[in-house]
Amino acid sequence: MLNVQSLPNAEEVALAKLSSQALSAVMETSGEVQQFNVVGKDGENHPLTLPASAVKLMIELLTQLGQGNSVNITPIHAELTTQEAADILNMSRPTLIKLLDGSDIPYSRKGNRRKVAFVDVMAFKQNMDNKRLASLDELTALDQELELGY
């Protein structure tokens, strides 16, 4: 898992923004691969073939850095610590532990440590987001029904 704890400085933000725009401009809109020429340290051109999904990911990464955000890349099959899972869910670690103990999120034990699958954390997050949106829809409908003007 790649985890950079610092925010990009002003120079990195500006370079990332320009790089994102340049990469987006040359991105093939169709096809599964993208061809690039990379100039190596030796000054020679080296052909490079990347999957389109990797180029899209790189554009998103550069876009986020260009907005001054820090970026964290987590492999889909990663096992997270309880703190990492809590951070993703934007909650305290003790709150996450209560969810684990209540079987709301599956986990495994490695020795005396709990490990949570990234996919399970994201499934829980998606489920909670869906419930929040449904509640918001209900509130909006109630506001309309009561003619509160929202």
Side-chain angles (χ1 to χ4, degrees):
M1 181 166 55
L2 176 62
N3 192 359
V4 179
Q5 296 294 326
S6 61
L7 293 173
N9 62 36
E11 185 178 319
E12 291 170 330
V13 168
L15 183 58
K17 193 178 290 186
L18 289 174
S19 298
S20 172
Q21 292 167 350
L23 196 54
S24 293
V26 298
M27 171 72 186
E28 290 287 332
T29 56
S30 62
E32 295 180 11
V33 297
Q34 179 79 39
Q35 302 288 329
F36 292 97
N37 281 315
V38 177
V39 179
K41 292 179 183 178
D42 55 4
E44 297 286 323
N45 277 332
H46 301 278
L48 180 64
T49 303
L50 294 174
S53 59
V55 177
K56 290 175 187 173
L57 181 63
M58 194 177 312
I59 291 169
E60 179 61 25
L61 181 137
L62 290 167
T63 300
Q64 291 300 319
L65 289 174
Q67 294 172 355
N69 297 323
S70 175
V71 177
N72 186 16
I73 298 175
T74 304
I76 195 94
H77 297 294
E79 284 191 324
L80 307 173
T81 65
T82 53
Q83 186 61 60
E84 290 168 333
D87 289 345
I88 288 172
L89 295 172
N90 197 27
M91 63 177 58
S92 70
R93 191 177 152 285
T95 300
L96 176 74
I97 296 298
K98 288 178 186 175
L99 292 172
L100 298 179
D101 289 342
S103 299
D104 293 317
I105 303 173
Y107 69 95
S108 61
R109 285 203 175 265
K110 300 284 168 107
N112 65 347
R113 306 271 182 196
R114 298 176 209 233
K115 294 291 184 175
V116 185
F118 176 73
V119 291
D120 292 333
V121 171
M122 295 311 291
F124 179 82
K125 185 176 186 331
Q126 182 66 47
N127 185 30
M128 292 305 298
D129 289 346
N130 290 341
K131 287 180 181 178
R132 285 184 187 116
L133 288 174
S135 296
L136 187 59
D137 287 344
E138 287 179 36
L139 288 172
T140 302
L142 186 58
D143 285 346
Q144 294 297 321
E145 184 180 311
L146 298 173
E147 296 180 8
L148 294 176
Y150 294 107

